[in-house]
Amino acid sequence: MLAAIRHFRQHGRISPYPPVSIQIQTHSACNGRCVYCPYPQLRDELQQGKMARPLFDKLIDDISRWRNPAKLTLMLQNEPLLDANFFEYIAYAKSRMPWIKVSTVTNGTMLNSKMVERLSNSGLDELTVSLDAFSKQTYESLHPGFSYEKTMGGIERLIKGRPAGLSVRFSIVLTNRNYHELQDFIGFARARKSQWRTVYLLNRADNVNQYQHMRLSKLKWYSIKLKLIHKYFYQTCPLPFARMSVLFNGDVLICCQDWQRKIIVGNAGRQSLQDIWTGEAYERLRRKLIQKQYSSIPTCSGCSVAQFSL
């Protein structure tokens, strides 16, 4: 990521650096109403749908020509396990690119016995479960409508049934409502011989209604660390230099934070991913990011990720 940013600063173009990771939204639905997520507010305002199989196959074929991306994530602003064709997508991606790491992120509510068995036999390399809490009270306050007992039951099922090749990790979006449970959360993951990750609460390009009420204090270490990394290490928002995000209809977003789909840099059904990644629309935006002209980019003007580098 840093090498691509430095290269762009020097040469004014992203090539020859491909994206480090690519997210594909095979469908746009989610069964959650998580309080830090824009989906419940935006789902009726935005076009929803499912990716056509020929388009998915084309995306995988395009990605396979790079041979460099480290990760393919079959998830973008959705709950991926709701897709009936999810396991077919994994199989095709692996058949074309045995070397690539295929991952997904789930809210964990669908981890019944059959789903765990299919995940175990799918060839998926990494499964992240967005747990976001340790206690029942905190979990259900962040995930209205979800059952703590059901999700925990699915997690235990997953841990018992996972094959050696499947890496399971638990994720926590840090807010002022769950920060006090962080150490217990880490202990929970370690006790199950699983990885864990902390995700700083972002305002998703100014689309999280309760962001100001849930965000961590700027004096917390996680807040300070992100500020230091973005301002002095990357010196810009790094996302459009490293990641590519493709919606179900083939539209490519400026980045995964663009929940309102304000900036579309191309369409993968009509263009190759390579042409989009190195195209003038993307390059023009990168130049503005390098110059920190965030106010001139609708998606970035109110985005907390961009603000970290100011």
Side-chain angles (χ1 to χ4, degrees):
M1 185 183 300
L2 182 58
I5 294 172
R6 287 174 171 169
H7 177 84
F8 192 89
R9 286 185 185 280
Q10 183 175 359
H11 300 284
R13 63 181 183 274
I14 197 70
S15 181
Y17 287 89
V20 174
S21 66
I22 300 167
Q23 286 184 269
I24 296 179
Q25 184 188 67
T26 63
H27 74 137
S28 60
C30 185
N31 60 342
R33 294 184 285 117
C34 306
V35 297
Y36 54 77
C37 181
Y39 180 80
Q41 289 77 40
L42 296 178
R43 63 183 173 187
D44 294 331
E45 300 177 19
L46 301 172
Q47 180 189 6
Q48 306 293 334
K50 178 175 168 57
M51 183 172 285
R53 182 57 194 266
L55 174 57
F56 180 84
D57 291 353
K58 178 189 177 298
L59 290 173
I60 298 303
D61 293 346
D62 280 355
I63 296 168
S64 69
R65 295 186 180 96
W66 271 319
R67 295 191 66 85
N68 290 68
K71 180 185 284 191
L72 169 67
T73 301
L74 299 180
M75 179 270 180
L76 175 62
Q77 303 173 353
N78 69 342
E79 170 48 52
L81 299 186
L82 289 172
D83 193 326
N85 302 111
F86 180 72
F87 297 100
E88 297 173 22
Y89 298 141
I90 298 173
Y92 185 73
K94 279 295 190 180
S95 71
R96 295 287 284 115
M97 300 176 291
W99 65 85
I100 202 167
K101 182 178 184 178
V102 179
S103 70
T104 196
V105 182
T106 177
N107 57 36
T109 60
M110 300 185 64
L111 296 175
N112 55 38
S113 298
K114 182 177 180 180
M115 182 64 73
V116 169
E117 181 180 1
R118 296 190 73 185
L119 284 167
S120 299
N121 298 321
S122 67
L124 187 70
D125 296 297
E126 181 182 78
L127 177 66
T128 299
V129 182
S130 296
L131 186 55
D132 301 319
F134 176 75
S135 70
K136 173 182 172 68
Q137 180 180 2
T138 301
Y139 175 82
E140 293 186 351
S141 71
L142 292 172
H143 304 280
F146 285 173
S147 165
Y148 176 80
E149 289 80 10
K150 179 181 177 181
T151 300
M152 286 300 181
I155 286 172
E156 298 303 337
R157 217 174 281 122
L158 174 67
I159 295 302
K160 291 179 182 177
R162 65 180 169 183
L166 177 60
S167 172
V168 174
R169 64 177 181 171
F170 299 102
S171 176
I172 181 169
V173 176
L174 290 175
T175 74
N176 57 22
R177 298 186 187 182
N178 62 8
Y179 186 77
H180 64 287
E181 295 188 355
L182 178 58
Q183 292 307 312
D184 287 331
F185 168 84
I186 293 172
F188 173 87
R190 286 175 173 168
R192 285 150 185 81
K193 295 181 171 58
S194 299
Q195 300 175 30
W196 54 273
R197 71 169 185 178
T198 55
V199 180
Y200 189 86
L201 176 65
L202 302 170
N203 68 2
R204 317 286 175 97
D206 203 20
N207 286 298
V208 177
N209 289 339
Q210 300 185 54
Y211 176 69
Q212 295 299 334
H213 300 291
M214 293 190 297
R215 64 180 298 182
L216 288 180
S217 163
K218 293 181 180 180
L219 299 179
K220 293 289 187 184
W221 164 240
Y222 282 95
S223 305
I224 295 171
K225 182 174 77 169
L226 278 180
K227 180 71 174 178
L228 292 173
I229 289 173
H230 283 75
K231 186 170 183 177
Y232 299 107
F233 190 67
Y234 296 132
Q235 299 178 31
T236 185
C237 173
L239 297 181
F241 296 88
R243 300 181 186 176
M244 205 168 196
S245 302
V246 187
L247 295 174
F248 72 93
N249 59 2
D251 284 346
V252 178
L253 299 174
I254 180 178
C255 80
C256 59
Q257 302 295 313
D258 188 4
W259 275 79
Q260 290 197 44
R261 309 173 188 172
K262 290 181 178 180
I263 300 180
I264 306 299
V265 293
N267 183 277
R270 299 187 293 270
Q271 304 162 267
S272 71
L273 289 181
Q274 170 68 22
D275 287 345
I276 296 171
W277 182 247
T278 60
E280 178 54 28
Y282 232 151
E283 299 286 55
R284 182 171 58 251
L285 290 165
R286 293 186 183 108
R287 285 193 288 272
K288 289 185 176 182
L289 292 174
I290 289 290
Q291 297 165 7
K292 298 186 180 180
Q293 297 178 12
Y294 302 130
S295 61
S296 67
I297 307 173
T299 298
C300 307
S301 59
C303 181
S304 54
V305 181
Q307 293 163 6
F308 280 130
S309 64
L310 293 175

